[in-house]
Amino acid sequence: MSQQQIAELLYVDRSTVANWESGRRMPDYTIVTKLAKLLNVDSEVFLDSVNAEKPIVMMVDDEKIILTGGIPILKRVMPKAEIVGFTKASEALQYAMTHKVALAFLDIELRSETGLELCRKLLKVNPRMNIVFLTAYMDYSLDAWETGACGYLMKPLSDKKVEAQLRLLIYPVRGLK
């Protein structure tokens, strides 16, 4: 099938298809689903072949014990993702500047700055990063929504809470499961 034929069937320009083919651009999730159906390929297999890179998931909490308990949960729920943890907001921000983080779980109360401030900085680095706040307190819930985050989880973390949150991500992430 030619680029022009695919473009006509998907209602896009031929140059758009050429950009997908060359890797200069990626189709959005809706188009990927239509493209997979058009090519008679399972969309999950298609997505995995389009991006074999592991998605990066970051957890930031100033209490090491929370990371020690939370990271194994994230690894269990998202076995295909690369999971990294940080106790310092500055280290997390530095990491995000050099790596494409798809999803970040942030404690709201960090020692050096709030998770709300870190969220705003991370979204400046990568506006398509999904951010979920972690906290033991509901006091910050309204402030959290004003940052651009896509979720808010109460501690302690559990497999079920994380799985439910993954269905609510603003930007779909390929390869989390």
Side-chain angles (χ1 to χ4, degrees):
M1 193 175 302
S2 72
Q3 289 179 351
Q4 185 62 44
Q5 290 169 318
I6 290 172
E8 288 172 3
L9 292 169
L10 295 176
Y11 303 104
V12 298
D13 293 328
R14 188 209 52 80
S15 62
T16 300
V17 176
N19 284 330
W20 297 339
E21 194 173 278
S22 69
R24 284 189 296 272
R25 294 197 175 230
M26 297 301 291
D28 66 26
Y29 186 78
T30 306
I31 295 291
V32 166
T33 305
K34 290 177 183 177
L35 186 58
K37 191 178 283 187
L38 178 68
L39 299 174
N40 197 26
V41 177
D42 179 50
S43 61
E44 286 302 313
V45 171
F46 189 80
L47 287 172
D48 287 343
S49 68
V50 168
N51 185 10
E53 196 175 291
K54 282 184 162 188
I56 300 173
V57 176
M58 177 169 60
M59 185 174 184
V60 183
D61 198 300
D62 57 354
E63 294 188 41
K64 195 168 187 105
I65 194 165
I66 301 296
L67 292 177
T68 302
I71 288 177
I73 291 170
L74 298 180
K75 286 182 178 181
R76 235 183 354 262
V77 174
M78 299 173 279
K80 294 183 180 179
E82 178 181 334
I83 312 292
V84 295
F86 299 94
T87 56
K88 294 180 181 173
S90 60
E91 291 174 356
L93 182 60
Q94 195 65 34
Y95 182 86
M97 293 171 111
T98 58
H99 297 80
K100 187 175 180 184
V101 177
L103 172 59
F105 290 88
L106 308 180
D107 184 19
I108 288 186
E109 288 190 355
L110 299 168
R111 285 189 190 109
S112 58
E113 65 182 299
T114 69
L116 303 172
E117 293 165 332
L118 178 58
C119 173
R120 289 182 187 101
K121 290 177 182 178
L122 288 171
L123 288 175
K124 282 183 182 175
V125 170
N126 177 2
R128 294 183 58 87
M129 184 185 305
N130 292 287
I131 296 182
V132 176
F133 285 111
L134 302 172
T135 189
Y137 312 101
M138 287 296 292
D139 302 347
Y140 297 103
S141 59
L142 292 177
D143 294 331
W145 290 118
E146 294 175 1
T147 63
C150 65
Y152 191 92
L153 291 177
M154 294 295 292
K155 292 178 184 175
L157 274 185
S158 71
D159 292 30
K160 281 187 175 187
K161 287 180 185 178
V162 173
E163 287 169 353
Q165 188 58 55
L166 292 180
R167 291 189 289 274
L168 302 174
L169 298 180
I170 296 171
Y171 304 105
V173 180
R174 295 187 277 263
L176 279 184
K177 290 192 168 208

